[in-house]
Amino acid sequence: MVSIIVPVYNAVKYIETTIDMVSRQTYKDWELILVDDASTDGSADLIEKLVASQGKRVRLIRKNVNEGAAAARNTGIDASAGRYIAFLDADDVWMPDKLQKQIAFMEKTGAAFSFHSYEFGDDKANPTGKIVRAPKTLSFRQALSRTVIFTTTVMFDTEKIDMEIIHMPQVPSEDTATWWRILKSGYVAYGLDENLAIYRRPARSLSSNKFIAIQRIWFLYRNIADLSVIQSVFYFVGWAVRATLRRL
């Protein structure tokens, strides 16, 4: 079984599509854990209505206090029963054969940690044609200059990786911090170069996004990767070049 963990916060306009999308997966041995992070828009109430028609493999966990996506995912991890752990954000889109192809890939390669290619979409999830390609493998050092792993594409095999290490820290860019911590401990991430997801990215202030991204990547270099200032500058240059090319 694969446990699909979805943090939910004020996602009422997406959640029905999310549940329907998972139910249409060609791989059928799954459970869906929706962790409502104290939404204020009625997301949890809608999920309760939808869960009633889905059976026991779709579950809602209500949190009384908003703690952020990292804590919500950790709650889902703790409640999971599957061998495989997959992450999905409520506003992102999976292709119908995503689970089937990724699990087959992990069985073939023996990967404990995998991810795949994805495509940017607009606010309605219409594909833009900009695809981020997954490299065959990614080590810790390689990951420092290329934030290519997208949370909605990640899957873990809990028979090969400790459940504790996949819990996310409460820091900015908690997902990247998690991947780095796992890779730093000696694991290698295996990339499946197939576009199996759409990252819904509404139009925002580009300059504001860049400034926040720079702050966060620098924090990760110094506090998660434990790099010196010189090392941080070295990897930052590589990251900046790759980020610019990806946008182009």
Side-chain angles (χ1 to χ4, degrees), residues 9-110:
Y9 181 69
N10 290 351
V12 70
K13 67 179 180 179
Y14 301 121
I15 206 66
E16 187 168 3
T17 299
T18 300
I19 294 174
D20 183 64
M21 177 178 63
V22 172
S23 69
R24 292 176 183 273
Q25 285 290 304
T26 56
Y27 183 87
K28 299 299 183 182
D29 192 9
W30 51 261
E31 65 170 354
L32 178 59
I33 303 172
L34 299 137
V35 184
D36 183 76
D37 196 23
S39 294
T40 59
D41 69 342
S43 290
D45 293 336
L46 175 59
I47 292 171
E48 277 195 344
K49 294 177 182 178
L50 297 171
V51 164
S53 64
Q54 290 291 329
K56 293 182 179 180
R57 65 177 181 169
V58 181
R59 289 190 280 156
L60 167 65
I61 299 176
R62 286 179 180 258
K63 295 177 72 73
N64 295 323
V65 179
N66 177 261
E67 297 179 308
R73 292 191 186 105
N74 292 343
T75 297
I77 291 169
D78 292 337
S80 66
R83 170 179 174 176
Y84 296 95
I85 299 288
F87 296 123
L88 171 63
D89 285 346
D91 57 344
D92 293 325
V93 175
W94 278 353
M95 302 308 170
D97 55 356
K98 175 261 190 339
L99 292 178
Q100 182 177 348
K101 287 187 173 181
Q102 191 165 11
I103 290 174
F105 173 75
M106 294 184 74
E107 290 177 345
K108 179 180 178 180
T109 60

Side-chain angles (χ1 to χ4, degrees), residues 119-238:
E119 185 171 5
F120 287 111
D122 62 18
D123 58 346
K124 296 182 179 179
N126 296 313
T128 64
K130 293 183 179 180
I131 299 176
V132 178
R133 294 292 180 187
K136 289 184 178 180
T137 58
L138 198 66
S139 67
F140 172 62
R141 291 294 173 185
Q142 291 170 327
L144 292 176
S145 61
R146 55 190 311 183
T147 50
V148 69
I149 302 177
F150 171 40
T151 307
T152 285
T153 74
V154 167
M155 186 179 289
F156 295 108
D157 182 347
T158 64
E159 290 189 358
K160 297 178 180 178
I161 192 168
D162 189 343
M163 288 278 283
E164 187 58 36
I165 201 172
I166 68 177
H167 282 73
M168 294 189 172
Q170 291 277 28
V171 298
S173 297
E174 72 283 346
D175 45 2
T176 300
T178 304
W179 320 149
W180 286 10
R181 184 178 61 187
I182 293 170
L183 297 176
K184 190 177 181 181
S185 71
Y187 290 95
V188 173
Y190 285 74
L192 171 60
D193 188 12
E194 287 199 47
N195 176 23
L196 299 176
I198 296 176
Y199 173 22
R200 194 192 305 258
R201 189 171 66 171
R204 300 186 183 94
S205 169
L206 187 58
S207 59
S208 175
N209 283 350
K210 283 184 177 180
F211 181 68
I212 293 172
I214 289 169
Q215 287 181 311
R216 288 183 173 182
I217 197 72
W218 188 259
F219 173 88
L220 294 176
Y221 286 146
R222 300 289 285 134
N223 296 278
I224 302 299
D226 295 322
L227 301 181
S228 68
V229 173
I230 293 175
Q231 290 173 316
S232 298
V233 170
F234 173 80
Y235 284 108
F236 175 79
V237 171

